[in-house]
Amino acid sequence: MGIDLRQVVAGILTLTMFVMLGQMIKRDHFDSLQDKLPGEAQDVQVDNANIIEKDGLVKPSKGSKGPWMKDSQELKPCWSRTTFDGIEQSRGYVTFSLTNGPEYHVSQMADAVVVARYLEAALVLPDIRGSRPGDERNFEDIYDVEKFMKSLNGVVKVVKELPNEISIRDLAAVKVPNRVTEDHIVENVQPIFKSKGNIRLATYFPTVNMRKTTQKSSVDSVSCLGMFGTLELQAEVSEVVDSMIERLRTLSRKSDGLFVAVDLRVDVLENKNCHGSGTNVAKSCYNAQEIALFLRKVGFDTDTTIYLTQSKWDNSLSVLKDIFPKTYTKENIMPEEKKGKFLEFEGSELEKVIDFYICSKSDVFVPALSGLFYANVAGKRIALGKPQILVPADIPGTSAAVMNYLAPYVAKKNHLAYSCFC
């Protein structure tokens, strides 16, 4: 029996379609661990290796080895301070803590500002608590207090501490979901506040989804301000981050000072629930070898400088360094005189802050892990005009067009940040 060439071609096309569909599912999985929300139309087309720009999203950076992209124009806040009514005399106090790293801080701050504004309450400057016992800090140890208070001037009254006559034991504990809504405040927070007069707020995270919604709310502008307009690093922390970025750029002379930041932490990778199994289960993380192969296949040269969020070197990372010799962790590039304070113990709030801001300012960001760190770094990068976020995937063959792996948050412009910035 002869072979029907048309059937062979049809079979190849069908197989190719399923491979492409699989890669799309895996990339979208990084953006949400819940059911998909409808996104906007794709903004980027790919024609072999040629990048076609639409709506000023991204374009290639000429003169550098590798698939580098230019920054786009830094976006401006859509919210305006003139839209906020002046605050009256505060009717009580809202206290809270920032916990578990800056990816949580930005969301916790947004919810606290929204609640305090709606209740017409004074917001007490939060403390900062890490996930480990003893990792407790004052707000000013990491963030700029004066800039924080100035950012909320006329929006929410901010005080540095509770009045002496109010005991912490008298505060009513209230939990709110991330991205708290006006309806939730009215039904679940306001009655307690009216009864007790003062509350201690805690944000919980039912999902890590940071996609924008079509529903508009009266608290949207306040939430945007709280998330993107309040937290700035204090001088010493900012100087350490800037010095590390400058060191990475110095090490990247052959690629015009450009570098890649990869959120890859061995302790998370060792979690048995990290990797999906089976052909139809999307992976939520990628190990060092998978990241190395992904970066090579999308076109990064072996001389590319890579920053890892892993605190200290682990032998499992050697396979990445074998392919990309210029791979570094914090201990390699932090100023020697700062290591005692900033690397006092692994996984501290200071380490997490350094990772968050370096990943936000790198030329390319690759999240080897899905979750809130990826989602909120993406928001920060979008605001800064740095949309070069590549979501890894298992790539068949020896090469692939880099734009196929642009984060859906950016390609579809469906991140919450696009509701806050214009």
Side-chain angles (χ1 to χ4, degrees):
M1 180 181 295
I3 299 176
D4 190 333
L5 185 59
R6 290 174 297 179
Q7 290 181 341
V8 173
V9 172
I12 293 173
L13 290 174
T14 300
L15 179 61
T16 302
M17 180 185 69
F18 279 108
V19 170
M20 292 176 64
L21 180 61
Q23 303 304 333
M24 291 172 64
I25 292 173
K26 289 180 180 179
R27 291 190 300 116
D28 272 342
H29 181 71
F30 263 64
D31 279 17
S32 176
L33 299 183
Q34 62 177 23
D35 291 339
K36 301 293 182 292
L37 297 176
E40 297 178 4
Q42 182 109 353
D43 300 290
V44 180
Q45 298 178 356
V46 180
D47 179 15
N48 294 328
N50 297 318
I51 300 172
I52 301 173
E53 182 188 8
K54 281 194 174 184
D55 299 329
L57 187 63
V58 288
K59 53 186 174 182
S61 180
K62 297 180 180 179
S64 299
K65 292 190 296 183
W68 303 99
M69 295 170 278
K70 289 184 179 180
D71 290 348
S72 56
Q73 186 174 359
E74 186 170 341
L75 302 180
K76 301 297 182 183
C78 296
W79 71 87
S80 170
R81 300 188 65 85
T82 59
T83 63
F84 298 120
D85 295 329
I87 53 175
E88 304 293 336
Q89 182 69 31
S90 58
R91 301 178 180 179
Y93 296 89
V94 173
T95 69
F96 69 112
S97 294
L98 298 176
T99 62
N100 300 318
E103 69 270 31
Y104 287 86
H105 296 176
V106 293
S107 295
Q108 291 162 343
M109 181 58 70
D111 292 328
V113 171
V114 166
V115 170
R117 168 75 182 184
Y118 192 88
L119 297 177
E120 298 181 345
L123 189 67
V124 181
L125 198 69
D127 60 351
I128 300 175
R129 302 182 182 184
S131 55
R132 297 192 176 197
D135 189 12
E136 298 182 7
R137 304 175 190 277
N138 295 322
F139 185 85
E140 58 266 26
D141 292 337
I142 294 180
Y143 298 110
D144 190 313
V145 175
E146 298 308 317
K147 289 184 178 179
F148 171 72
M149 298 183 74
K150 184 178 179 181
S151 70
L152 292 176
N153 185 34
V155 180
V156 173
K157 181 180 179 181
V158 179
V159 297
K160 292 188 176 181
E161 56 188 15
L162 279 170
N164 293 331
E165 64 269 20
I166 299 178
S167 171
I168 296 177
R169 291 175 296 181
D170 297 331
L171 300 175
V174 179
K175 288 187 176 182
V176 297
N178 178 36
R179 300 173 69 175
V180 63
T181 63
E182 183 177 349
D183 288 343
H184 186 91
I185 296 172
V186 171
E187 295 174 12
N188 301 285
V189 182
Q190 193 170 44
I192 298 175
F193 181 74
K194 286 183 176 179
S195 173
K196 299 294 184 178
N198 307 289
I199 61 174
R200 179 162 182 80
L201 197 68
T203 297
Y204 65 93
F205 294 80
T207 73
V208 298
N209 176 43
M210 292 298 291
R211 294 184 177 185
K212 68 180 181 181
T213 63
T214 56
Q215 296 177 334
K216 300 296 182 182
S217 169
S218 61
V219 302
D220 287 348
S221 293
V222 180
S223 180
C224 286
L225 171 63
M227 178 169 285
F228 296 106
T230 58
L231 296 177
E232 291 190 32
L233 297 180
Q234 56 100 315
E236 183 185 11
V237 181
S238 181
E239 287 171 6
V240 170
V241 170
D242 289 344
S243 69
M244 293 173 69
I245 291 176
E246 183 60 32
R247 175 66 175 152
L248 289 165
R249 298 207 182 284
T250 300
L251 293 166
S252 307
R253 287 173 180 165
K254 290 187 178 181
S255 55
D256 294 341
L258 306 176
F259 72 95
V260 177
V262 181
D263 179 29
L264 191 157
R265 287 162 276 154
V266 174
D267 61 325
V268 181
L269 290 172
E270 291 174 346
N271 188 319
K272 65 180 180 180
N273 296 322
C274 178
H275 297 277
S277 59
T279 56
N280 295 322
V281 179
K283 296 174 67 170
S284 62
C285 60
Y286 289 80
N287 62 31
Q289 179 177 342
E290 292 166 328
I291 291 297
L293 293 176
F294 170 74
L295 292 174
R296 284 296 289 137
K297 287 184 177 182
V298 297
F300 285 99
D301 189 86
T302 56
D303 200 53
T304 299
T305 297
I306 297 175
Y307 173 79
L308 300 180
T309 56
Q310 169 70 16
S311 295
K312 296 181 180 179
W313 192 258
D314 186 273
N315 289 334
S316 65
L317 304 174
S318 296
V319 63
L320 176 58
K321 197 172 184 68
D322 287 343
I323 298 176
F324 294 96
K326 293 183 177 180
T327 297
Y328 304 98
T329 59
K330 282 178 282 295
E331 61 181 351
N332 301 126
I333 59 173
M334 182 177 288
E336 195 65 34
E337 67 276 11
K338 298 295 183 180
K339 290 182 180 180
K341 177 177 180 177
F342 287 84
L343 301 182
E344 56 185 332
F345 59 86
E346 192 170 342
S348 71
E349 292 296 280
L350 285 172
E351 283 198 12
K352 293 176 182 178
V353 164
I354 289 170
D355 289 333
F356 186 86
Y357 283 88
I358 290 180
C359 288
S360 298
K361 296 181 179 181
S362 63
D363 300 287
V364 172
F365 172 54
V366 178
L369 313 167
S370 65
L372 199 62
F373 186 93
Y374 157 53
N376 277 335
V377 166
K380 187 79 171 176
R381 293 183 66 92
I382 289 167
L384 292 173
K386 291 181 170 293
Q388 309 91 323
I389 307 169
L390 302 179
V391 173
D394 298 322
I395 300 175
T398 58
S399 64
V402 67
M403 293 306 296
N404 285 340
Y405 303 95
L406 190 68
Y409 274 142
V410 174
K412 297 178 181 179
K413 289 190 175 181
N414 64 6
H415 193 283
L416 174 63
Y418 286 111
S419 299
C420 295
F421 291 89
C422 306

